[in-house]
Amino acid sequence: MTEPVEKAMERADLGADGQAPKQPKEKKEKAPKEKKEKKPQGEGGGAPGEKEKKKETKLGMQTSKKESFTDWYAELVVAAELISYYDVSGCYILRPSSYAMWEFVQRFFDDRIKEMGVQNSYFPLFITEDVLNTEKDHVEGFAPEVAWVTKTGSSDMEKPIAIRPTSETVMYPYYAQWIRSHRDLPLRLNQWTNVVRWEFKYPTPFIRSREFLWQEGHTAFATQQDAEAEVMQVLELYRRVYEELLAVPVVRGRKSKKEQFAGAFFTTTVEAFIPETGKGIQGATSHCLGQNFSRMFKIEYETEQKTKEFAWQNSWGMTTRTLGVMIMTHGDDKGLVAPPRVAPKQLVMVPIPKASTPPDDKKAMFDKADELKAQLERASVRVVTDYRDNYTPGWKYNYWELRGVPLRCEIGPKDMENGNVVLVRRDTGAKEAVAWSDLAARVPVLLETMQADLLAAATERQKASMAKATTWEEFMAALESKKMVLAPWCDEEEVEDDVKKRSTTPTAAGAKTLCIPFEQPDLPAGTPCFASGKPAKNWALWGRSY
Amino acid sequence: MLQSKCAQGWLAQRPSPIQSTPRPASRGLGSHIRQHNWQLRAAAEGTAATEAPKKAKPQKQQGGGKAEGGKVPDEAITPKSEDYSKWYLDIVAKAQLADYGPVRGTMVIRPYGFAIWEAIQKHLDAAFKSVGVENAYFPQLIPLSFIAKEAQHVEGFAPELALVTKGGGKDLEEVLAVRPTSETMVNHMLAQWIQSYRDLPMNLNQWCNVHRWEMRTRPFIRTLEFLWQEGHTAHATPEEAEEMAMRMVRIYERFAVEEAAMPVVAGRKSRAESFAGANCTYTIEAMMGDRRALQAGTSHNLGDNFAKAFGTQFLDSDGQQKHVHQSSWGVSTRLVGGLIMTHGDDKGLRLPPHLAPIQVVMIPIVKKEADRPAVMESISQLESAARSAGIRVKVDADERQTPGWKYNHWEMRGVPLRVEVGPRDVESKTCVVARRDKPGKEGKQMGVSAEPMAFVAHINTTLEEVQAGLLSDATVFREANIVDVTSYEELKQAIAAGKWARGGWSGSDADEKRVKDETQATLRCFPFDQPAGPHTCFMTGQPAPEVAIFAKSY
């Protein structure tokens, strides 16, 4: 991290063609600015920000994913211009390139829930203390993390107002009003909002922040069966967001009692895994709330038989954490690798004239690049061109690799002669020459191939990170080799507490259940729990986690 | 409000922590530097909204049995002419657009209201992206010290900030403001992101919520929390910033006219009415059904005011360090209120087809059960034809309600077209198409072909006719209610008659304040479209370079 600027530039400047290009002019322009930048002054926990800030002006990654994952991630999210820090610790700016990816996630999910019959709405950010306190279990889960508005202008308020950490308690009183009859069901609402949870755990951009963006769906049904069907339907959409859009494999399962949502009947989850840190990460959760909240909030409906029943409710949420998991999964030592389906720009067009190229030929080259760009755009490829004349090709390659653009399209003097371009894949570095006439057909295919390959590669790493254990020793050995562990379990909360305690080491937090996977290996009768020796009820997936 | 009841349960006893909060100092023109979209003269007549929040009980739909076209008390709303304010609140409640939030002055945007906002978002987001604007997200919690950096800005916004002082059980080291707008937050970042002229222009936008502690609130029109988009751009030259501010107000104008069918007047705000911290504010002003003006969107040329406060500089191609020049611009959920008050009538909402969540409602007319299958078959063919042509359709086949009840129900919700199919229509392979914007027979066309291609063509054409019809109605209404004045006396008369007054203006800030104090009318804008001169100021009698519009406003 303390590598001198010159050295870093040197490495960054080694272009793909192996020659060290000239120092870009831009560096000089930026140098004075660097000193002016203020360090974020959070209330602690802002360390990565402080370190990374300084690197905004440099090009190329300086930390290695393998050697120093946490630093690598912190460097990457800033260097690739995905987020920025500011003075408040744990809050971040989502810059256009990450926000555009969030928009792809939003569009995919929003379209599909609307097909299912879910409607969007908006409930207020501010919650009164009394409303927040309606549901006991629930409040105990969230109260310690609430941020409070205590003043308006210069006046103190009589009672403070909470900023929503989640919206159950805001929404459900309305459900109680709006739902009267079985004909008012199902009521299926969703909202895309920001929420604030004032946590003091170590913040990580996208993964854990004090303010984050999410969608929260809240639905009410007449029957348990309908509610449970939706829980699974939504979980499947979450799986698709991860696997089909973000190319991140996930394990679907049910949360243990200890890990489920405060106040839920049961919680389902999609769990991802980061092999480098050996930590599981909860991807998104879909909860069946049963009738717990409807009893509390008196969400009752009249059945066809004129009897009163409490509604069955679900809630489900997915956050900008999705992007963090994707970045961690695919990123490499050159920077971000964006899966083509969520890449704001899928292809960067880089003409590479030589200093000796005559002006006419140079113009023809740029014209050709424009023409090819137009063809690609007609084929719905998102293209960006880099015609800057103050950077060398090698510098540009690094620049766009850092930003994760899936394909680079080079067009040089030789290519002009041959009627070709050279396509370079961001994930593998594989090059191929493609004739101009084939380009608009080839690129979409290549993008889809890359999308599939990213998922396949990540799935392989995920599989390699999955161990099975039937004894405590096996369990600890797997955990210590940074794996998640599938182990037969008695499904008792005290045992989970005990495992957490016993697996805590001086350097690592204890393990917990990530989920009880829906896909269960055979469990012969009498198999003992790996931790308690009691008869196992299921195979649970354990791991250290974010 | 025949069926409405006061809030029940927790809503009735909900804590109102702000009721005891002292009101911020009255904002007359004395503090006019702080004028912005959401600021309204405190002098405006009181609004019933927060004083007596009534809650419409969810509609209880009784079984059929009502005669077709019969009165349906559940759906009745206060006539516009009787009580405009109540009419508005009735529509908001009964068309299920919004409900009151748990904290006074906040609102819950219900699915139908939110779908209108989503339609607005979709149009505008595409328009922004087409001119090279990128979306981003800036944090909601802004250190108070940021807001204090631009003197006029802080003066304008400080009284209505919501401040967070505690989090996670601890006192915060620095007080954080819940964003009222993000110029300061954005500039704090731009100062770090922008280094060279090559980084410019930087065109950013965000769709988010903002909070301003308003005392007099009304759903959609002025709420303590509202949803909006705020665009923030940075440029190398003053000319480019000016051009951007103009381009955006023109985008708003075009959206208002073409999509929202609101014939807005685009123009420039007076100095007194400009945004706190701006060099110049452009606006689109719409006339509501009660002839009050509604500021429906603003675009500001911020000059280098914020850039200087935040040190947002760049190295220009000539080797000089320079401050950037900026614009910011926004529209909000207020537009939904504008739509209601521009187009609504005594039957309820009238939505322009381009923004209507449901463009066509299809209603089977079945008297004998034996006819039902054939009617439903025809309806379902029409539905799928329309749907595959991208038309937003809803079939109301609820057997518990009469057709007449349904007509009222969907008219209340402002659905632009209704398609009726009965047994005779099935026989003749036709249907009936009724327009929401034209009452009775005038808007009803019988014998429309049910052949899919012809049907879709007819619907598309008619939707465009409704769109044009609404714009034309609103334009005629507006033109009839703008009076050209040549003296202060004439202005007073025009304002007293509830109209807009237009006349030459070269008065001072003090003159402007006098008009406001004496008539409650404010200078809405100097329209871009100016009548041929020369003009004489109606107040001072001096030559005036421009005419201005004065009106009472929301």
Side-chain angles (χ1 to χ4, degrees):
Chain A
M1 307 285 282
T2 51
E3 200 172 14
V5 178
E6 288 71 22
K7 198 176 158 199
M9 289 307 302
E10 200 177 279
R11 201 174 56 188
D13 282 348
L14 278 176
D17 48 3
Q19 40 180 309
K22 283 174 284 178
Q23 292 276 331
K25 283 187 222 157
E26 204 74 353
K27 190 196 150 206
K28 281 181 203 143
E29 296 175 0
K30 290 183 178 181
K33 194 75 185 175
E34 210 177 325
K35 288 182 203 133
K36 276 174 55 182
E37 281 170 12
K38 270 196 292 178
K39 290 180 183 179
Q41 311 155 337
E43 301 127 67
E50 292 174 30
K51 285 187 218 160
E52 299 318 316
K53 267 273 155 86
K54 294 175 193 159
K55 283 194 194 129
E56 278 183 27
T57 58
K58 298 166 196 165
L59 193 62
M61 296 282 295
Q62 296 175 52
T63 41
S64 142
K65 185 177 188 180
K66 222 176 181 174
E67 285 161 20
S68 176
F69 184 84
T70 308
D71 292 341
W72 167 85
Y73 179 75
E75 183 186 357
L76 169 58
V77 292
V78 172
E81 299 186 340
L82 298 168
I83 65 116
S84 275
Y85 294 87
Y86 75 120
D87 298 34
V88 179
S89 166
C91 294
Y92 310 99
I93 291 94
L94 300 185
R95 300 187 68 175
S97 45
S98 62
Y99 196 82
M101 293 194 279
W102 179 237
E103 287 183 308
F104 283 115
V105 171
Q106 285 188 301
R107 198 176 314 157
F108 176 90
F109 188 75
D110 200 65
D111 285 350
R112 277 154 192 85
I113 58 173
K114 279 178 178 157
E115 280 166 18
M116 281 165 46
V118 176
Q119 296 176 297
N120 283 335
S121 56
Y122 185 78
F123 288 76
L125 177 87
F126 287 158
I127 313 180
T128 56
E129 201 171 6
D130 304 18
V131 169
L132 188 68
N133 288 337
T134 323
E135 218 280 358
K136 271 271 152 35
D137 283 357
H138 184 67
V139 169
E140 278 164 22
F142 285 101
E145 305 177 350
V146 171
W148 295 95
V149 174
T150 62
K151 285 180 168 193
T152 62
S154 52
S155 340
D156 286 330
M157 295 167 63
E158 203 169 80
K159 282 186 181 174
I161 286 178
I163 294 183
R164 65 176 160 229
T166 178
S167 301
E168 279 79 3
T169 58
V170 190
M171 295 170 87
Y172 297 167
Y174 291 89
Y175 284 42
Q177 286 218 338
W178 295 340
I179 295 169
R180 302 281 153 151
S181 139
H182 63 94
R183 295 195 193 99
D184 299 323
L185 295 174
L187 178 63
R188 307 170 81 180
L189 301 184
N190 176 64
Q191 63 177 359
W192 294 94
T193 65
N194 62 331
V195 285
V196 174
R197 295 179 186 174
W198 215 258
E199 296 185 79
F200 293 96
K201 287 181 197 161
Y202 196 78
T204 306
F206 298 113
I207 302 296
R208 170 171 288 116
S209 53
R210 285 174 169 177
E211 180 189 16
F212 56 87
L213 303 183
W214 76 344
Q215 60 67 219
E216 49 178 328
H218 295 269
T219 57
F221 295 86
T223 67
Q224 177 173 3
Q225 196 186 2
D226 288 351
E228 289 187 3
E230 188 204 58
V231 167
M232 297 309 295
Q233 220 180 344
V234 170
L235 193 73
E236 171 63 8
L237 287 182
Y238 290 152
R239 182 198 67 78
R240 291 181 64 193
V241 166
Y242 274 99
E243 297 189 346
E244 294 179 15
L245 281 188
L246 303 172
V248 172
V250 288
V251 176
R252 278 172 297 168
R254 180 172 57 77
K255 284 282 185 189
S256 70
K257 283 276 171 249
K258 180 175 158 62
E259 292 295 325
Q260 77 183 24
F261 180 66
F265 178 49
F266 65 87
T267 289
T268 64
T269 180
V270 289
E271 296 284 325
F273 191 78
I274 309 300
E276 288 77 5
T277 55
K279 285 183 180 176
I281 183 158
Q282 180 176 301
T285 45
S286 177
H287 315 287
C288 180
L289 304 179
Q291 295 172 310
N292 298 340
F293 283 83
S294 62
R295 279 178 212 281
M296 200 69 63
F297 288 90
K298 309 243 177 319
I299 306 172
E300 274 182 298
Y301 70 95
E302 195 179 75
T303 64
E304 275 179 277
Q305 293 75 38
K306 307 284 176 205
T307 57
K308 290 270 187 184
E309 290 282 349
F310 288 108
W312 281 80
Q313 290 179 274
N314 297 333
S315 73
W316 25 273
M318 173 180 69
T319 77
T320 36
R321 171 179 274 198
T322 45
L323 302 181
V325 177
M326 178 273 284
I327 296 162
M328 287 182 167
T329 300
H330 303 301
D332 62 20
D333 288 353
K334 290 178 175 175
L336 178 69
V337 179
R341 290 185 189 163
V342 295
K345 296 294 176 195
Q346 295 169 312
L347 178 143
V348 56
M349 180 83 70
V350 187
I352 36 180
K354 289 190 172 153
S356 59
T357 307
D360 282 358
D361 291 5
K362 198 173 161 188
K363 183 178 181 304
M365 189 186 289
F366 281 77
D367 287 349
K368 180 49 79 176
D370 279 341
E371 184 192 320
L372 294 173
K373 176 182 188 239
Q375 284 176 15
L376 287 167
E377 282 175 342
R378 277 196 293 278
S380 299
V381 178
R382 299 185 288 272
V383 183
V384 60
T385 53
D386 190 344
Y387 294 170
R388 290 176 288 184
D389 56 8
N390 59 327
Y391 295 117
T392 62
W395 194 96
K396 290 180 184 180
Y397 299 168
N398 285 323
Y399 180 92
W400 295 106
E401 281 170 355
L402 174 59
R403 284 158 181 77
V405 176
L407 289 178
R408 180 171 78 233
C409 179
E410 306 171 2
I411 178 162
K414 275 246 176 66
D415 303 308
M416 287 302 288
E417 277 169 32
N418 300 336
N420 276 348
V421 294
V422 174
L423 290 179
V424 186
R425 274 175 64 160
R426 172 65 183 86
D427 57 336
T428 58
K431 292 187 175 189
E432 68 178 72
V434 179
W436 295 339
S437 54
D438 298 338
L439 189 65
R442 179 61 186 151
V443 167
V445 173
L446 203 52
L447 288 171
E448 278 305 295
T449 306
M450 181 173 159
Q451 180 83 32
D453 289 353
L454 283 175
L455 177 62
T459 305
E460 211 162 283
R461 295 195 296 272
Q462 179 211 34
K463 292 242 162 75
S465 301
M466 180 94 75
K468 250 191 198 180
T470 52
T471 65
W472 181 257
E473 290 68 32
E474 283 172 15
F475 175 81
M476 281 310 293
L479 210 57
E480 287 308 299
S481 58
K482 293 188 173 176
K483 292 190 174 173
M484 50 183 159
V485 194
L486 199 57
W489 183 40
C490 60
D491 205 346
E492 286 176 16
E493 202 166 328
E494 306 80 67
V495 175
E496 189 170 357
D497 287 336
D498 186 52
V499 170
K500 189 169 185 177
K501 259 182 242 154
R502 284 163 67 195
S503 60
T504 303
T505 66
T507 53
K512 62 182 192 182
T513 56
L514 303 174
C515 69
I516 295 140
F518 292 142
E519 256 181 64
Q520 287 275 319
D522 278 342
L523 186 68
T527 307
C529 167
F530 79 101
S532 68
K534 295 178 192 172
K537 289 186 183 145
N538 53 44
W539 289 88
L541 186 62
W542 298 76
R544 298 199 159 106
S545 73
Y546 277 92
Chain B
M1 297 273 284
L2 293 170
Q3 291 288 312
S4 67
K5 287 185 183 168
C6 282
Q8 302 171 348
W10 70 276
L11 276 171
Q13 17 164 305
R14 73 187 196 280
S16 299
I18 44 181
Q19 270 163 346
S20 54
T21 308
R23 293 177 65 127
S26 142
R27 300 121 165 193
L29 260 186
S31 59
H32 57 229
I33 201 76
R34 63 165 316 288
Q35 314 304 337
H36 56 78
N37 324 16
W38 294 85
Q39 187 48 43
L40 222 238
R41 307 284 83 76
E45 287 111 280
T47 56
T50 48
E51 270 58 46
K54 295 255 170 80
K55 293 208 36 78
K57 207 172 134 190
Q59 283 148 52
K60 301 293 262 181
Q61 305 183 351
Q62 306 302 331
K66 288 167 193 137
E68 182 170 336
K71 279 275 172 220
V72 185
D74 270 357
E75 295 276 309
I77 54 170
T78 309
K80 248 171 143 172
S81 54
E82 193 179 295
D83 184 340
Y84 193 81
S85 181
K86 209 162 172 224
W87 166 84
Y88 176 78
L89 295 175
D90 280 359
I91 289 189
V92 169
K94 299 213 170 172
Q96 301 187 341
L97 299 172
D99 215 327
Y100 292 95
V103 172
R104 199 167 92 143
T106 63
M107 69 172 169
V108 173
I109 306 178
R110 302 187 66 177
Y112 197 56
F114 199 82
I116 298 172
W117 177 238
E118 284 185 311
I120 293 170
Q121 286 186 297
K122 204 172 163 189
H123 281 281
L124 286 174
D125 197 63
F128 300 158
K129 283 176 177 160
S130 76
V131 294
V133 175
E134 295 182 298
N135 284 337
Y137 185 77
F138 290 86
Q140 176 165 53
L141 300 175
I142 305 179
L144 194 53
S145 58
F146 287 16
I147 293 176
K149 281 192 182 179
E150 215 286 340
Q152 294 190 344
H153 191 70
V154 68
E155 190 188 330
F157 282 100
E160 54 187 39
L161 293 176
L163 300 174
V164 177
T165 62
K166 283 184 198 303
K170 296 185 186 172
D171 285 336
L172 303 187
E173 277 176 21
E174 177 168 15
V175 173
L176 302 175
V178 181
R179 71 177 154 231
T181 179
S182 303
E183 276 78 6
T184 57
M185 184 70 234
V186 169
N187 266 278
H188 178 78
M189 298 320 304
L190 292 187
Q192 296 171 44
W193 294 343
I194 294 170
Q195 274 124 32
S196 143
Y197 69 97
R198 291 174 194 277
D199 299 326
L200 300 173
M202 193 171 279
N203 300 327
L204 301 176
N205 176 62
Q206 69 173 346
W207 294 93
C208 66
N209 54 350
V210 282
H211 290 74
R212 296 171 189 180
W213 214 271
E214 300 278 2
M215 288 296 116
R216 292 169 176 279
T217 58
R218 171 186 294 247
F220 294 111
I221 297 300
R222 185 176 310 101
T223 44
L224 194 149
E225 174 182 29
F226 53 93
L227 305 184
W228 77 344
Q229 61 67 216
E230 48 178 324
H232 298 274
T233 69
H235 309 267
T237 66
E239 293 76 22
E240 284 172 68
E242 172 64 16
E243 194 189 325
M244 191 67 177
M246 279 296 286
R247 179 184 300 157
M248 298 322 291
V249 76
R250 290 299 193 182
I251 283 179
Y252 291 154
E253 179 189 23
R254 190 167 166 183
F255 167 81
V257 173
E258 291 182 6
E259 316 299 344
M262 289 165 67
V264 293
V265 175
R268 193 185 78 252
K269 285 280 179 196
S270 68
R271 203 151 42 96
E273 298 279 342
S274 289
F275 175 77
N279 280 359
C280 183
T281 290
Y282 300 115
T283 178
I284 51 170
E285 299 283 325
M287 183 184 282
M288 301 293 98
D290 61 354
R291 299 177 295 187
R292 284 218 217 166
L294 182 80
Q295 179 176 294
T298 49
S299 177
H300 316 290
N301 180 344
L302 302 175
D304 56 6
N305 301 337
F306 285 90
K308 280 185 173 150
F310 285 85
T312 315
Q313 282 178 298
F314 68 101
L315 187 70
D316 206 349
S317 52
D318 60 9
Q320 302 286 311
Q321 282 285 335
K322 294 175 186 172
H323 285 110
V324 297
H325 296 264
Q326 296 180 277
S327 80
S328 71
W329 25 275
V331 298
S332 71
T333 35
R334 177 174 245 211
L335 274 172
V336 177
L339 280 175
I340 301 168
M341 289 200 282
T342 301
H343 304 301
D345 63 15
D346 284 350
K347 285 182 174 174
L349 200 56
R350 296 196 305 170
L351 287 174
H354 293 183
L355 299 179
I358 301 168
Q359 294 171 307
V360 179
V361 59
M362 297 186 171
I363 298 176
I365 314 289
V366 178
K367 293 208 173 101
K368 284 181 286 179
E369 270 313 301
D371 294 333
R372 191 176 300 279
V375 168
M376 288 314 297
E377 172 62 22
S378 172
I379 291 241
S380 112
Q381 281 171 11
L382 295 177
E383 181 196 10
S384 73
R387 212 176 279 286
S388 47
I391 298 165
R392 300 185 285 276
V393 193
K394 161 95 185 168
V395 172
D396 186 351
D398 191 335
E399 294 174 25
R400 291 167 294 136
Q401 303 294 357
T402 63
W405 189 96
K406 291 178 188 174
Y407 294 175
N408 287 327
H409 180 86
W410 296 108
E411 281 172 357
M412 156 70 73
R413 279 156 186 74
V415 176
L417 293 184
R418 179 176 74 226
V419 171
E420 305 161 16
V421 178
R424 250 187 270 168
D425 301 305
V426 173
E427 247 168 59
S428 59
K429 296 195 169 63
T430 61
C431 61
V432 177
V433 176
R435 286 170 62 159
R436 172 67 180 88
D437 65 322
K438 292 196 166 167
K441 282 192 180 137
E442 193 195 344
K444 208 160 175 171
Q445 181 149 9
M446 328 286 278
V448 173
S449 171
E451 189 278 316
M453 293 273 283
F455 172 73
V456 165
H458 181 86
I459 292 293
N460 276 328
T461 309
T462 315
L463 284 171
E464 283 311 304
E465 281 169 17
V466 174
Q467 182 80 27
L470 289 175
L471 178 62
S472 153
D473 286 358
T475 309
V476 167
F477 178 78
R478 186 192 66 180
E479 290 311 310
N481 285 291
I482 300 183
V483 179
D484 285 307
V485 299
T486 56
S487 68
Y488 187 34
E489 208 40 52
E490 283 178 18
L491 175 130
K492 281 183 180 166
Q493 281 169 16
I495 298 299
K499 302 192 174 190
W500 288 16
R502 179 172 54 201
W505 181 257
S506 61
S508 64
D509 288 358
D511 291 331
E512 192 178 329
K513 182 177 185 314
R514 181 177 161 210
V515 175
K516 183 195 141 75
D517 290 346
E518 292 178 2
T519 69
Q520 295 176 1
T522 47
L523 198 164
R524 304 315 305 161
C525 70
F526 296 99
F528 293 139
D529 282 339
Q530 286 280 327
H535 310 289
T536 306
C537 176
F538 66 79
M539 185 65 103
T540 63
Q542 299 297 308
E546 288 171 292
V547 299
I549 289 176
F550 285 79
K552 288 188 191 172
S553 72
Y554 278 98

